[in-house]
Each structure stands twice: as structure tokens, then as C-alpha cells.
């Protein structure tokens, strides 16, 4: 339960945690895909690397939510493959979150030599922090020579980890695209005959009507005791957010008129880039005000969870505990099935809008070679194997077949009750090579990859911002947001408070931050 909540928190934050120096090269997404894939194909054809003449041993540090029980046997099998194919032996060291945050920085600052490190969405061990501290090696030439297949596979997504034409990390190939959804308990809808109406929701008013109908039925005693809830809608996260999820315009009445936008990696919802490349403050937009006013009305109507502004639990935990009938939140492909597993409730999911793939999606999780590495060639060669070998991917994710998991008739991985090993599927190489988890369907990986390839890519993908010059201003802005945002976005504060918040943001250095983002975006656009 604890691990599930931590994973959900990190995935939610993965969309926008990294800001770092410089801008990678990027063009329009279709052109990027064609040009880079073509170049990579030529490189792959020219590559003659078939493994090292002598055994190379590398050390790899990553993170695990589940511990390292059973890891020895897993690594024995991985090394059997790696040694045979490229003559590389890997010593893998997974750490828990707290240990990884603390030890990796100490190891690198102390000059300790190791060869692969996981870059994460956690600020202290993020791509931005590690590159700013000169802890990651330029691996551009090594990728060309030892990992052409990996380069071809990732294509323009590597722009997110490219600074001034130099590659400093390789993104984990995973579901970068996401959407905003309304999630509702299907058992309650079925009980009240509202399921068809719920699936046909086309506006926020339609959704409100469903919530009002459920509330009225509960107040009138029409719902069985085991289906009664404390709220019709709860906060999506521990910041009190009800519908104002980052990178989404949610103010329009019709769901068809909502849309995602690029925040240039700012996960505080301050930065808003319009269709003309103009950087602005999202909290000053009419869209934000309309969203806040809507949630405030729902709060006054008794629909919103009263503790939303202060709750330490997010939507998944609150749904699982029976606290709420519904919530609005971001999710990836297969949202309904995935959230059902996380919430342990049957759900109906209605898509609100899609969010374009952004630079922050590409650099939130990945693998890099520390500057202390003495065997960067072997490290990159192993990355190429890890990103392209399904057996290696499934060993890292699920462990040993027959001991830790079985594959059912649908082609799904079923975790055995007495399993010794398990890890997260988005940590290692290519997530799409892993078996789908039980309940997702045998074609889940193929379908989710197709969904990613069809997703909208932000025209600013590849542009990243260095905020070092306005670090003090950002600290001051966050203090203001902490003061106002939970109340506004949970509906418990008067929408008029928006004006006071924006006034304090301006007094705390907002304009300097906006100017920094605008200047660096303009410079990046001028290079395209």
C-alpha cells in the first residue's frame, strides 16, 4: 500500500519535475521522428560492435520500491544473457528512495567510480540537478558506437536529455503521454442506473448533475450502507487540487473545449505558454478563474471533500477507502483498468482532454553514465541491450518466471503470492517490452505504444530552461502558492482571493521568472 502510494505520487509528478541548463535541438515532431530515425538507421547499419573481447564488469545503481529479495538469482540470469551477447557483467545495486536520494549525491561528490545511475523525477537526483553539478558524462559518441539501436528506438525523445547537441542521459522508454480523466465508481452508478449517463458526459455540468444525483440518492437512503461515501469528489493530490491539474486548461464548460498546454517543465503551474509562444502566469488566466469558481460552487453545494485542502492522501487512497464517489486526475493509456487496480474499485473513466508530450516527460526518468565511470563503453553497450532485449526487461521488472510470476493465457504477468522479487516497469529500458500486468489485457503494451506514437507532441519539446538565476524568486513564489493554492483549488476559499494571490506573486518576483522563461524559449525557437 505504501509503495503503491509512493509510485503514484512520483508518476503524477513525473510530468514536470526537471528544469536544467541549455536547450537541445528539436524540430516539429513528425520531422523529428523521420529525420532522427533515418539517421539512426544508417548508424545501426554501419555499427559492427558485437561485444567486447574481454569481460567488462560495471556497477549500476538504481531505485526500488520493493526491496532486493531474490535479486541475486535475477542478476545471474541477466548476466548470463549480457555476458554471452556483449561480454558485460553487471553488478546492480537497487536502493530505497531515501537511500538513493542521499547516497548517490555523496558517491558522486566523493568521486566514487560507478558506471550507470538512474536519473529520476525527484529533484535531488534529477537530470537537472545532476547535470548542473557536472555529475553526468557526455555519452554522445558512445551511443553512436555502442547503442545505435537504442538511438533509433528513442529518436527525438532524446532531445529531452540533450544539452547543446550533447547527450547526457537516455530516457526510459515509457508512456510519455497522458490525459485528464473523470473517474467515477461504477458500482454506485450501476446501483442508481446512471452508468450510461455517466459515460456520455460531455460537459462539467453533465458531471455535476451525476454528482448531485448520487448525493441526493445517498441523502434519501437509496444507496446501500456499504456504498455510502463522504464526498462526491475529492482532491487529486496532497495539494488540494480538485480539477486544476497541471498543463490542462479546464475552465471551459464543454469538455471538448478543454486542452492541454506546455508549461516548459514548471510543475508549479505558474508557467503557461500560449499558441503563439507567449509565456504567461497561468494563475492570471480566465481559465484558472473559471475552474476555481466552478470548484467553489461545488464545495458550497456539499459535493467536494471537506478536508481536500489539508488531506495528506490523494485520490487513489481516498477512493480505495470509500471516502469519495469520484475524482479528476491525470492518467496514462488504459486509465480505467489501471486506476481500478490502484483504487480497488470498479470505475467509469471519462476523458477530459489530452496533454501534449513535453520535455519534462522525457527527462523525468532515465539512465546516465556518471563522470566517475571508468567503463563508459561497457555501460552504454549494456543500456543498448537493456532497452532492446525483452528477456532482460522482464527479468528486471518481474523477476524469474515460475518463481516470481507466471504468464497467463492472455499473455499477462501474474505475480505469484510467494514471489521474492518485483520492481517497477518504468525503471528499466523499454517499458513496452515488459509483459502487461494481470488485468490489463494481452495487447496492452502494443496498444499503449500505438497510443504514444499517435500522441500530440508539444512544439516546444526539446526546450528546457535554466532557472538558476531566479532560484530565490521561485522559492518566494512557492511560499505564496502554498499559502493560497490549496484553499482555492479545493473550493474552500473565495475565488476573489485569486487577486490577492497574484498581487503577492508579483511582489515576490514573478516577472523575473516569466522573463527568464520567455528569453530562453525565444532563444530556443530562434535556433529551430
Amino acid at each position: 500500500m505504501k509503495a503503491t502510494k509512493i509510485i503514484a505520487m512520483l508518476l503524477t509528478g513525473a510530468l514536470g519535475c526537471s528544469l536544467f541548463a541549455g536547450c537541445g535541438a528539436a524540430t516539429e515532431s513528425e520531422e523529428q521522428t523521420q529525420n532522427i530515425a533515418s539517421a539512426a538507421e544508417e548508424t545501426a547499419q554501419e555499427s559492427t560492435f558485437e561485444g567486447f573481447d574481454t569481460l567488462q564488469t560495471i556497477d549500476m545503481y538504481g531505485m526500488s520500491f520493493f526491496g532486493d529479495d531474490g535479486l541475486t538469482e535475477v542478476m545471474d540470469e541477466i548476466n548470463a544473457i549480457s555476458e554471452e551477447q556483449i561480454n558485460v557483467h553487471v553488478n546492480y545495486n537497487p536502493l530505497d528512495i531515501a537511500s538513493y536520494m542521499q547516497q548517490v549525491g555523496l558517491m558522486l561528490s566523493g568521486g566514487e567510480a560507478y558506471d550507470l545511475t538512474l536519473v529520476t523525477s525527484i529533484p535531488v537526483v534529477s537530470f537537472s540537478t545532476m547535470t548542473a553539478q557536472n555529475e553526468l558524462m557526455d555519452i554522445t559518441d558512445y551511443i553512436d558506437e555502442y547503442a545505435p539501436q537504442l538511438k533509433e528506438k528513442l529518436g527525438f525523445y532524446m532531445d529531452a536529455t540533450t544539452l547543446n547537441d550533447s547527450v547526457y542521459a537516455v530516457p526510459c522508454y515509457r508512456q510519455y503521454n497522458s490525459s485528464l480523466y473523470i473517474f467515477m465508481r461504477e458500482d454506485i452508478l450501476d446501483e442508481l442506473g446512471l452508468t450510461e449517463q455517466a459515460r456520455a458526459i460531455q460537459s462539467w455540468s453533465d458531471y455535476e448533475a451525476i454528482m448531485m444525483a448520487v448525493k441526493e440518492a445517498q441523502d434519501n437512503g437509496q444507496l446501500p450502507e456499504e456504498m455510502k461515501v463522504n464526498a462526491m469528489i475529492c482532491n487529486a493530490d496532497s495539494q488540494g487540487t480538485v480539477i486544476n491539474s497541471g498543463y490542462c486548461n479546464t475552465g471551459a464548460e464543454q469538455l471538448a473545449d478543454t486542452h492541454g498546454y506546455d508549461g516548459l517543465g514548471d510543475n508549479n503551474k505558474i508557467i503557461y505558454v500560449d499558441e503563439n509562444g507567449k509565456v504567461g502566469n497561468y494563475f492570471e488566466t480566465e481559465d484558472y478563474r473559471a475552474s476555481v469558481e466552478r470548484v467553489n460552487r461545488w464545495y458550497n453545494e456539499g459535493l467536494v471533500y471537506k478536508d481536500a485542502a489539508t488531506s495528506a492522501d490523494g485520490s487513489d487512497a481516498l477512493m480505495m477507502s470509500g471516502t469519495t464517489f469520484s475524482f479528476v486526475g491525470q492518467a496514462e493509456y488504459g486509465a480505467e483498468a489501471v486506476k481500478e487496480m490502484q483504487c480497488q474499485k470498479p470505475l467509469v473513466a471519462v476523458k477530459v482532454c489530452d496533454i501534449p508530450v513535453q520535455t519534462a516527460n522525457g527527462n523525468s526518468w532515465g539512465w546516465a553514465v556518471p563522470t566517475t565511470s571508468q567503463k563508459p563503453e561497457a555501460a552504454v553497450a549494456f543500456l543498448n541491450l537493456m532497452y532492446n532485449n525483452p528477456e532482460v526487461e522482464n527479468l528486471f521488472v518481474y523477476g524469474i518466471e515460475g518463481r516470481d510470476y507466471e504468464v497467463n493465457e492472455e499473455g499477462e504477468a501474474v505475480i505469484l503470492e510467494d514471489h521474492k522479487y518485483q520492481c517497477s516497469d518504468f525503471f528499466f529500458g523499454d517499458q513496452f517490452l515488459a509483459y502487461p500486468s494481470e488485468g490489463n489485457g494481452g495487447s496492452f503494451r502494443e496498444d499503449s505504444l500505438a497510443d504514444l506514437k499517435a500522441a500530440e507532441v508539444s512544439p516546444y519539446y526539446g526546450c528546457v530552461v535554466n532557472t538558476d538565476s531566479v532560484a530565490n524568486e521561485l522559492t518566494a513564489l512557492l511560499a505564496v502558492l502554498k499559502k493560497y493554492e490549496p484553499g482555492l483549488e479545493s473550493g474552500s476559499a473565495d475565488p476573489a482571493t485569486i487577486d490577492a494571490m497574484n498581487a503577492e506573486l508579483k511582489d515576490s518576483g514573478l516577472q523575473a521568472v516569466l522573463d527568464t522563461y520567455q528569453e530562453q524559449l525565444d532563444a530556443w525557437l530562434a535556433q529551430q
Side-chain angles (χ1 to χ4, degrees):
M1 170 66 179
K2 183 178 180 181
T4 302
K5 288 174 63 178
I6 293 172
I7 294 170
M9 175 189 72
L10 290 176
L11 282 174
T12 300
L15 185 63
C17 288
S18 295
L19 304 173
F20 49 95
C23 285
T27 58
E28 294 300 322
S29 58
E30 275 188 28
E31 263 183 62
Q32 289 173 320
T33 306
Q34 293 171 355
N35 294 343
I36 295 177
S38 175
E41 185 177 356
E42 291 178 11
T43 304
Q45 291 172 349
E46 294 171 2
S47 176
T48 58
F49 175 70
E50 296 180 353
F52 297 98
D53 293 334
T54 59
L55 181 66
Q56 305 293 307
T57 299
I58 62 173
D59 293 307
M60 174 179 175
Y61 279 82
M63 202 162 66
S64 174
F65 300 119
F66 304 98
D68 58 2
D69 290 347
L71 177 63
T72 299
E73 294 82 5
V74 170
M75 291 311 301
D76 285 344
E77 295 206 15
I78 289 174
N79 279 314
I81 298 169
S82 181
E83 291 175 22
E84 178 184 359
Q85 295 195 15
I86 58 174
N87 213 9
V88 172
H89 179 93
V90 183
N91 296 320
Y92 179 50
N93 306 279
L95 304 173
D96 61 67
I97 296 174
S99 298
Y100 194 80
M101 291 169 61
Q102 182 179 35
Q103 291 186 31
V104 165
L106 292 174
M107 290 165 60
L108 293 175
S109 63
E112 185 171 337
Y114 72 100
D115 307 290
L116 284 173
T117 195
L118 180 69
V119 295
T120 79
S121 65
I122 303 169
V124 295
V125 280
S126 68
F127 182 75
S128 60
T129 300
M130 298 173 87
T131 52
Q133 295 175 351
N134 297 314
E135 294 173 342
L136 305 183
M137 186 180 295
D138 176 359
I139 56 174
T140 311
D141 294 339
Y142 296 120
I143 287 178
D144 288 340
E145 184 171 357
Y146 298 101
Q149 293 84 9
L150 175 119
K151 181 178 179 179
E152 180 180 3
K153 172 174 285 188
L154 287 175
F156 74 91
Y157 293 123
M158 286 179 64
D159 287 346
T161 52
T162 299
L163 305 177
N164 300 319
D165 297 324
S166 295
V167 179
Y168 287 91
V170 178
C172 294
Y173 193 34
R174 57 188 180 85
Q175 197 79 45
Y176 300 128
N177 58 314
S178 63
S179 303
L180 187 68
Y181 290 89
I182 299 169
F183 294 99
M184 298 164 281
R185 279 183 55 173
E186 187 175 28
D187 56 342
I188 293 177
L189 292 171
D190 286 346
E191 179 72 20
L192 300 176
L194 295 171
T195 305
E196 185 175 343
Q197 181 180 341
R199 290 197 180 278
I201 287 174
Q202 296 184 18
S203 67
W204 291 113
S205 292
D206 291 344
Y207 175 36
E208 182 178 350
I210 294 288
M211 290 192 288
M212 291 296 290
V214 174
K215 183 178 185 299
E216 183 179 350
Q218 178 165 293
D219 291 345
N220 293 338
Q222 294 175 257
L223 274 180
E225 191 66 30
E226 65 271 16
M227 290 187 182
K228 290 184 178 180
V229 295
N230 295 335
M232 296 301 109
I233 183 172
C234 70
N235 47 293
D237 53 33
S238 58
Q239 282 78 50
T241 306
V242 173
I243 63 173
N244 298 95
S245 184
Y247 307 126
C248 292
N249 277 309
T250 52
E253 164 63 15
Q254 298 296 315
L255 301 190
D257 294 329
T258 62
H259 63 277
Y261 63 87
D262 197 323
L264 296 182
D266 168 44
N267 63 325
N268 302 306
K269 292 189 289 196
I270 299 171
I271 301 301
Y272 173 82
V273 184
D274 67 17
E275 62 275 10
N276 299 313
K278 176 66 175 176
V279 174
N281 170 21
Y282 175 66
F283 299 111
E284 289 185 302
T285 65
E286 287 304 314
D287 182 88
Y288 182 72
R289 186 175 296 272
S291 296
V292 167
E293 289 174 346
R294 179 183 299 118
V295 175
N296 177 251
R297 185 178 71 252
W298 290 352
Y299 187 91
N300 292 332
E301 291 172 347
L303 300 176
V304 179
Y305 182 43
K306 292 301 182 182
D307 295 330
T310 58
S311 175
D313 288 325
S315 54
D316 291 356
L318 292 171
M319 177 69 82
M320 183 186 296
S321 66
T323 300
T324 188
F325 158 69
S326 70
F327 63 90
V328 176
Q330 290 185 25
E332 299 169 355
Y333 179 79
E336 195 168 285
V338 171
K339 284 295 182 183
E340 282 183 349
M341 288 189 291
Q342 293 174 347
C343 299
Q344 296 297 296
K345 303 287 184 186
L347 299 176
V348 167
V350 176
K351 184 185 288 188
V352 176
C353 69
D354 293 320
I355 302 168
V357 178
Q358 304 178 35
T359 301
N361 299 117
N363 61 44
S364 291
W365 298 95
W367 290 94
V369 178
T371 52
T372 58
S373 171
Q374 297 179 5
K375 297 184 178 179
E377 300 91 344
V380 172
F382 181 74
L383 285 181
N384 192 60
L385 176 69
M386 185 171 75
Y387 277 69
N388 288 286
N389 188 297
E391 192 174 354
V392 170
E393 170 73 10
N394 282 293
L395 281 163
F396 268 128
V397 173
Y398 293 114
I400 297 173
E401 187 173 359
R403 185 195 73 174
D404 301 308
Y405 74 101
E406 292 178 347
V407 180
N408 64 19
E409 293 181 356
E410 298 294 323
E412 303 166 323
V414 180
I415 304 298
L416 299 178
E417 187 174 350
D418 58 349
H419 71 278
K420 293 184 177 181
Y421 175 89
Q422 184 183 358
C423 201
S424 303
D425 65 358
F426 64 94
F427 280 171
F428 303 100
D430 183 351
Q431 181 185 49
F432 304 105
L433 294 180
Y435 291 117
S437 298
E438 183 181 16
N440 283 338
S443 64
F444 178 78
R445 297 299 187 192
E446 294 174 3
D447 296 340
S448 58
L449 179 57
D451 184 69
L452 171 62
K453 290 184 175 180
E456 176 189 0
V457 177
S458 168
Y460 312 121
Y461 188 92
C463 177
V464 290
V465 177
N466 176 7
T467 59
D468 288 348
S469 63
V470 288
N472 292 335
E473 287 86 349
L474 283 170
T475 299
L477 294 180
L478 292 181
V480 175
L481 294 180
K482 184 177 180 180
K483 175 181 175 181
Y484 288 101
E485 212 177 342
L488 285 168
E489 298 184 10
S490 65
S492 58
D494 188 331
T497 311
I498 294 174
D499 297 329
M501 178 177 71
N502 281 319
E504 288 196 30
L505 288 173
K506 289 179 181 178
D507 291 342
S508 300
L510 172 65
Q511 194 57 51
V513 173
L514 297 179
D515 290 345
T516 296
Y517 275 87
Q518 188 70 68
E519 290 167 4
Q520 294 190 38
L521 175 59
D522 289 344
W524 180 83
L525 288 170
Q527 296 174 357
Q528 306 315 301

